Amino acid sequence: VQLQASGGGSVQAGGSLRLSCAASVRISSINVMYWYRQAPGKQRELVAASSTIGTTTYADSVKGRFTISRDNAQNTVPLQMNSLKPEDTAVYYCNHGNSIRIRRPLGSWGQGTQVTVSS
């Protein structure tokens, strides 16, 4: 499975961005899709995950602000990010796996997409 994240950019605090993850195979065939992020000097962390049965999970820091979904028509996994904060600044990556509970990304990380939020 090849994945490509896109849609990053620079916004002011309080703004919104919509990231997209395009896949080389049908999104509906991928058990779990993850969005991760890595800020400078910090470890990569899970932001959100979505399973084929509709289960989603979010990091506490983004709950109520970010929404992960699956667009089977476009074969993408969007991450809608609202009310952005400077601490959301990071490189965002998408990946895939088999379990939301056991967070084990299976794919390569690729280049990701940069999100920069200014105060």
Side-chain angles (χ1 to χ4, degrees), residues 9 11 17 29 33 36 48 50 60 67 80 86 89 96 105 109-110 114:
V11 296
L17 280 174
S29 69
M33 288 296 301
Y36 278 77
S50 165
D60 287 343
T67 303
Q80 179 66 41
T89 295
H96 70 99
W109 289 106
Q114 175 71 47

Side-chain angles (χ1 to χ4, degrees), residues 4-118:
Q4 179 66 51
S6 62
S10 297
V11 296
Q12 290 190 329
S16 298
L17 280 174
R18 186 176 178 88
L19 305 184
S20 183
C21 178
S24 61
V25 300
R26 289 192 306 171
I27 292 293
S28 57
S29 69
I30 301 175
N31 288 335
V32 178
M33 288 296 301
Y34 305 110
W35 276 102
Y36 278 77
R37 68 185 180 188
Q38 187 168 22
K42 295 188 177 182
Q43 288 189 332
R44 189 174 285 138
E45 64 172 350
L46 180 70
V47 175
S50 165
S51 76
T52 51
I53 61 172
T55 305
T56 58
T57 190
Y58 298 91
D60 287 343
S61 59
V62 307
K63 282 180 181 176
R65 300 188 298 121
F66 290 13
T67 303
I68 187 172
S69 59
R70 292 185 180 225
D71 187 336
N72 290 328
Q74 297 294 325
N75 205 46
T76 61
V77 178
L79 181 68
Q80 179 66 41
M81 306 187 298
N82 299 327
S83 302
L84 283 162
K85 304 176 181 180
E87 50 264 44
D88 294 319
T89 295
V91 179
Y92 285 70
Y93 303 88
C94 56
N95 212 310
H96 70 99
N98 291 318
S99 172
I100 280 187
R101 184 174 61 87
I102 302 173
R103 299 166 182 179
R104 184 184 175 192
L106 299 176
S108 59
W109 289 106
Q111 295 183 341
T113 186
Q114 175 71 47
V115 172
T116 303
V117 185
S118 57

